[in-house]
Amino acid sequence: MELFPVNEALTLTTLGAPMRTAPTSSRTLLRRRTLAAALVALPAYWVGARAQVPALLRATPSQTEGPYYPVALPADADPDLLRNGALRGYERGQPVWLEGSVTDLKGQPLQGAWVEIWQCDEAGHYHHPGDGDRADPAFQGFGRVKLGADGRYRFRTIKPAPYSGRTPHIHMKVRLGQREKLTTQLYVEGDPGNTSDYLWRRLGADERQALTRPFVMGSDGLRVDFPVVIAT
């Protein structure tokens, strides 16, 4: 005669046999497997999230201002350097559109910044007492523009000309408020004078690529695109 009724799912530990637990339901097993799979996939998710962060842009190299930045800003300092005030338009040299964008390292436009350019005339002279103020009066020689929300700028000028000791180039400066963010120079891709220019030769391969741009013919004439990236 049995003193205790035996339960098929559970035996008493007092009888010296190990305790058995109730069978696990299929729903519980499914939940456990789902959780385990999620934990395994978690590292891959974080790696993927990091991979989606955009890489920072390379900052535009800086270069010397040179000796011919204007002593005082001219009365006419608009983006059209081919017309200086009420004087006749400048007819020497090859007209060109110089345009591009100014952004930070993340590609965000530098809204509100000022872009300035200055260069010599076709004869190689600047509007500056250090060069005897010998530049053609019809050539404005300096211009500036304030960036809008898109960070774009556009100037009308001439393809830069060489002068003694220098390959063709255009000077550029970017200001934001009272801060000077960048001073650099733009060079003409393929110009034979580049390799003999002491400033161009000092540039590394990546720096030359950033500052030496092609001047190409478009529907509205010769143009050069010069994207500028500021390390703010």
Side-chain angles (χ1 to χ4, degrees):
M1 184 178 68
E2 293 181 344
L3 297 177
F4 300 97
V6 178
N7 188 313
E8 293 180 355
L10 182 65
T11 59
L12 298 177
T13 56
T14 55
L15 297 178
M19 179 177 290
R20 294 183 298 168
T21 58
T24 304
S25 69
S26 58
R27 182 177 299 177
T28 301
L29 286 174
L30 180 60
R31 285 200 300 266
R32 290 177 181 175
R33 289 171 182 168
T34 302
L35 178 60
L39 292 174
V40 170
L42 188 59
Y45 169 79
W46 285 112
V47 170
R50 287 197 301 269
Q52 293 173 10
V53 176
L56 294 179
L57 300 174
R58 186 187 297 271
T60 299
S62 62
Q63 288 216 291
T64 177
E65 179 179 278
Y68 300 128
Y69 183 82
V71 175
L73 296 187
D76 188 354
D78 67 10
D80 185 0
L81 279 66
L82 300 185
R83 183 171 296 278
N84 190 8
L87 299 177
R88 73 186 190 283
Y90 187 63
E91 297 177 351
R92 299 190 62 189
Q94 189 172 5
V96 65
W97 293 105
L98 165 57
E99 56 191 342
S101 60
V102 182
T103 67
D104 62 17
L105 296 176
K106 296 180 180 179
Q108 297 300 311
L110 210 64
Q111 182 177 1
W114 285 90
V115 178
E116 303 175 346
I117 66 167
W118 67 101
Q119 67 185 105
C120 67
D121 64 11
E122 182 65 15
H125 298 305
Y126 285 87
H127 289 294
H128 194 280
D131 193 29
D133 281 319
R134 293 180 293 167
D136 190 320
F139 182 59
Q140 190 171 294
F142 176 93
R144 62 176 182 165
V145 64
K146 190 174 185 179
L147 300 178
D150 61 356
R152 299 285 304 177
Y153 68 86
R154 196 181 203 210
F155 292 94
R156 185 65 166 161
T157 184
I158 60 170
K159 187 177 180 180
Y163 58 88
S164 180
R166 290 304 315 277
T167 193
H169 61 281
I170 297 176
H171 296 269
M172 177 177 284
K173 190 184 294 288
V174 179
R175 301 179 185 273
L176 184 60
Q178 299 300 314
R179 299 178 60 190
E180 188 174 300
K181 306 297 292 184
L182 176 71
T183 300
T184 193
Q185 298 183 29
L186 165 66
Y187 298 93
V188 181
E189 183 179 275
D191 192 280
N194 290 342
T195 54
S196 60
D197 186 88
Y198 69 100
L199 285 178
W200 192 88
R201 290 202 315 266
R202 293 178 183 176
L203 297 169
D206 290 340
E207 294 174 320
R208 289 177 182 177
Q209 185 176 8
L211 298 183
T212 311
R213 306 294 296 175
F215 285 63
V216 297
M217 189 61 66
S219 59
D220 57 350
L222 194 65
R223 63 181 296 275
V224 56
D225 183 70
F226 185 36
V228 176
V229 180
I230 304 295
T232 54

